[in-house]
Amino acid sequence: MKLLLVVACALVDADRRVLLAERPAGKQLAGLWEFPGGKLEAGERPEACLIRELHEELGITTWESCLAPLTFASHAYEDFHLLMPLYVCRKYDGIPRGQEGQRLKWVRPKDMRDYPMPPADLPLIAPLIDLL
Ligand code: 9L3
Ligand code: MG
């Protein structure tokens, strides 16, 4: 089975809320709320991938020293297996804005069950509740 490597981020604010981004229309899993992130490019380190994705998707800048790995998601879809580390980030420059027009929401981890999320993201909620 094909392996897909994706890196995701829990951006945390001063009120211990975490940013969820709505997947844009036209993309796979459109309309679901996810931890922002995206696919690793060939040979890319996960931290570099996340810094790039957060800039592309949200217009913010962060640094490797501000990214702390928390856990991994591992989920078998129909045609590929997704392996996705989740990093926690509490420090960045700029105000997150959906660069592709996607809606954003700051959500307490215990309230995330109210948002439809991709199946791979669901097991990441419990470690965030424990952390925050
Ligand atoms: N994915 C799932 N949860 C996430 C992210 C960032 C991505 N939190 C899945 C959706 C797609 C694949 O990973 O199937 C690639 O993501 P993208 O490049 O379409 O964002
Ligand atoms: Mg993405």
Side-chain angles (χ1 to χ4, degrees), residues 7 40-52 64 87:
V7 189
L40 264 186
E41 291 179 354
E44 194 175 41
R45 298 183 61 245
E47 293 86 353
C49 170
L50 204 49
I51 289 167
R52 176 180 55 73
E64 211 169 306
Y87 284 76

Side-chain angles (χ1 to χ4, degrees), residues 38-110:
K39 293 183 192 108
L40 264 186
E41 291 179 354
E44 194 175 41
R45 298 183 61 245
E47 293 86 353
C49 170
L50 204 49
I51 289 167
R52 176 180 55 73
E53 289 283 348
L54 292 174
H55 193 257
E56 288 172 6
E57 292 187 355
L58 303 176
I60 61 171
T61 301
T62 190
W63 305 272
E64 211 169 306
S65 59
C66 301
L67 297 174
L70 180 64
T71 185
F72 281 85
S74 176
H75 186 81
Y77 284 96
E78 276 292 281
D79 45 349
F80 59 89
H81 182 178
L82 174 70
L83 185 65
M84 181 171 73
L86 180 75
Y87 284 76
V88 172
C89 175
R90 300 171 190 263
K91 194 175 157 228
Y92 52 87
D93 257 8
I95 298 167
R97 289 205 180 84
Q99 301 296 296
E100 303 161 56
Q102 68 275 40
R103 291 192 291 168
L104 305 178
K105 283 237 165 73
W106 291 98
V107 183
R108 290 198 173 73
K110 64 175 177 53

Side-chain angles (χ1 to χ4, degrees), residues 1-6 8 23 27-30 32-35 39 73-84 116-124:
M1 186 181 277
K2 207 179 139 195
L3 177 64
L4 182 67
L5 297 170
V6 171
R23 290 189 56 87
K27 268 196 170 182
Q28 195 185 14
L29 307 170
L32 298 184
W33 293 86
E34 69 174 10
F35 299 104
K39 293 183 192 108
S74 176
H75 186 81
Y77 284 96
E78 276 292 281
D79 45 349
F80 59 89
H81 182 178
L82 174 70
L83 185 65
M84 181 171 73
M117 294 176 79
D121 295 53
L122 293 175
L124 300 174

